[in-house]
Amino acid sequence: VLPFETARSVCNLRRVTHDIKDSYYDMVREVDVNHGDGLAKYAGPGFWNDMDMLEVGNGAMTLDEELTHMAFWCLLKSPIILGNDLRNMSRQTLDLVSNAAALAINQDALGVQGALVAEYDSNITVAIAVLTNCSQQDGRNGSDPYQQWERVDADVHDGGGGMLLRNRVLGTCLCASGPNTTNFHGPTQPVTQPCNTTDPQQVWQYDSKLRQLSSPASGLCFAIGKTTIPMYQLGMAECRHASSPKLGPQQFDIDASTGHVRSLFKDYSEHPLCLSVDSVGDLQVWAGPLSSSTSDGSQSQQRWAVMLVNRAVYRPANVTVQFADLGLAAAVSVQVEDVWSGRSLGGHVASYTHSVAPHGSAFLTLTAAAGGHE
């Protein structure tokens, strides 16, 4: 595979990473690798970082996730290549992929790839446990430090031996059951929360023969959920009681050296999945400059494309872009417009805040008078 430095001199685009799948987590991993590997410096007129085809319209993502997918591809100037069945495209999908304002950002003459300009947590102590593609030392699957877990000895309620699974980075522990509220997928949705050795929902036992992680409190085992939205959702299921050559959704390997809790389910053998946390750095601001010349070539205004992103899976959040992060002076009035609808969101000074749905985003253009930089 050609290095990016070489590829830029001999071709017009280069794939960023592996083949994309119809999954929110796989989609944002393409974005994370593009950003984390510092590939933006190679992108510009004549050469583009290709994050693979769009999965919009293929059925596994929600509308909010598909809008985020399209917005990321436009902002990061990835080639827009449809990956759905064109013969059976819904009106909703057609409207999304043909939105003129979004495509104008993707095709903007300046050709600057957008970048992550701010990232922060929503300060929620309870976070959803998810499976993401296992990180590898060669960097092919990006780097997810939140896949590192360690065992902490604990007693089972009946006096037997057990353990807590503590995230090495966050210090929180895996809990078999989250709060049974409408913000969660159900009463058996595993979460992470502050460690408590007296909480029976946080105590686990690992059967190294059957290779399954069970909760003595419920008698159920940790498993990949049946739902496909999100594709890698976790749940609790009936434990296996006999070994079988067929690896199922309840079977995991715990690797003390890497800290990985890795799924052994055969359906994901090609791209192994590891236990991680969904809402770390879950609120993000991405931005990139746009060309702003008037018809006579003068620079009468400054424009940016901005995404406000909520990567948490279970509740909406307010996400704020600070105009200082774009280099604007504090007193400058900035006009904000929604890309998808074309609706004006008014003039704002210093910052703009938008309520963003779980796994959703606000896709905006910001316009300020020329000369407003600090």
Side-chain angles (χ1 to χ4, degrees):
V1 178
L2 285 175
F4 279 86
E5 296 88 343
T6 305
R8 199 181 195 289
S9 65
V10 297
C11 57
N12 297 114
L13 60 85
R14 183 193 185 281
R15 280 280 297 279
V16 167
T17 182
H18 77 309
D19 291 348
I20 194 172
K21 291 184 177 180
D22 188 12
S23 156
Y24 175 82
Y25 294 103
D26 212 61
M27 179 271 291
V28 293
R29 191 169 69 82
E30 297 277 346
V31 174
D32 291 341
V33 171
N34 193 347
H35 169 72
D37 287 356
L39 304 183
K41 63 179 177 287
Y42 301 114
F47 182 83
W48 311 104
N49 294 321
D50 179 10
M51 296 190 293
D52 205 1
M53 69 184 72
L54 291 173
E55 292 290 348
V56 173
N58 285 331
M61 285 188 271
T62 66
L63 177 58
D64 284 323
E65 291 171 342
E66 290 190 337
L67 288 166
T68 299
H69 183 7
M70 180 68 175
F72 265 132
W73 263 234
C74 290
L75 182 65
L76 272 63
K77 305 300 189 289
S78 181
I80 302 297
I81 304 170
L82 301 186
N84 59 304
D85 186 345
L86 303 184
R87 301 166 301 174
N88 298 293
M89 191 185 307
S90 69
R91 170 54 61 180
Q92 175 178 283
T93 297
L94 179 59
D95 289 345
L96 196 163
V97 300
S98 62
N99 182 278
L103 293 175
I105 291 170
N106 178 260
Q107 299 292 307
D108 183 72
L110 199 59
V112 176
Q113 178 174 309
L116 180 65
V117 298
E119 181 176 33
Y120 52 99
D121 297 339
S122 53
N123 298 318
I124 298 170
T125 57
V126 177
I128 295 292
V130 296
L131 288 177
T132 59
N133 295 85
C134 297
S135 298
Q136 297 180 7
Q137 290 183 348
D138 62 11
R140 284 179 298 165
N141 287 343
S143 178
D144 183 356
Y146 304 104
Q147 290 179 359
Q148 298 179 34
W149 302 82
E150 60 188 359
R151 306 186 197 201
V152 178
D153 291 337
D155 291 330
V156 180
H157 59 86
D158 63 3
M163 65 177 180
L164 303 185
L165 274 177
R166 181 169 62 196
N167 190 281
R168 291 177 179 175
V169 176
L170 301 176
T172 53
C173 286
L174 183 66
C175 183
S177 179
N180 187 14
T181 73
T182 56
N183 288 329
F184 289 84
H185 291 290
T188 57
Q189 170 69 54
V191 299
T192 60
Q193 58 187 33
C195 297
N196 182 357
T197 56
T198 64
D199 180 1
Q201 294 292 331
Q202 293 190 29
V203 178
W204 302 87
Q205 290 179 323
Y206 183 67
D207 187 323
S208 58
K209 181 178 180 181
L210 297 178
R211 305 177 89 170
Q212 58 188 7
L213 196 62
S214 64
S215 168
S218 66
L220 298 175
C221 279
F222 195 58
I224 296 180
K226 294 181 179 179
T227 181
T228 58
I229 303 176
M231 184 176 179
Y232 303 154
Q233 181 184 331
L234 289 162
M236 301 294 292
E238 292 292 329
C239 298
R240 289 189 168 197
H241 300 291
S243 59
S244 168
K246 184 178 179 181
L247 298 173
Q250 305 98 323
Q251 292 180 285
F252 291 81
D253 177 64
I254 301 179
D255 188 328
S257 61
T258 63
H260 283 174
V261 178
R262 179 172 58 89
S263 171
L264 301 174
F265 190 25
K266 65 177 182 63
D267 286 7
Y268 302 111
S269 58
E270 183 179 352
H271 299 287
L273 302 175
C274 286
L275 176 63
S276 187
V277 178
D278 184 65
S279 66
V280 178
D282 50 355
L283 307 182
Q284 298 180 330
V285 179
W286 294 73
L290 299 174
S291 56
S292 53
S293 298
T294 59
S295 58
D296 63 0
S298 63
Q299 297 289 324
S300 63
Q301 58 187 13
Q302 299 164 336
R303 299 176 62 241
W304 292 263
V306 173
M307 281 182 70
L308 308 181
V309 182
N310 179 7
R311 292 177 64 159
V313 73
Y314 54 97
R315 67 183 69 186
N318 289 328
V319 187
T320 300
V321 53
Q322 300 290 341
F323 298 156
D325 289 336
L326 306 178
L328 287 172
V332 172
S333 178
V334 175
Q335 295 296 316
V336 180
E337 184 174 290
D338 178 76
V339 169
W340 299 118
S341 68
R343 182 169 60 94
S344 172
L345 300 175
H348 300 265
V349 175
S351 66
Y352 173 75
T353 300
H354 198 100
S355 178
V356 181
H359 280 186
S361 60
F363 195 18
L364 312 167
T365 58
L366 274 59
T367 304
H373 274 76
E374 293 181 312

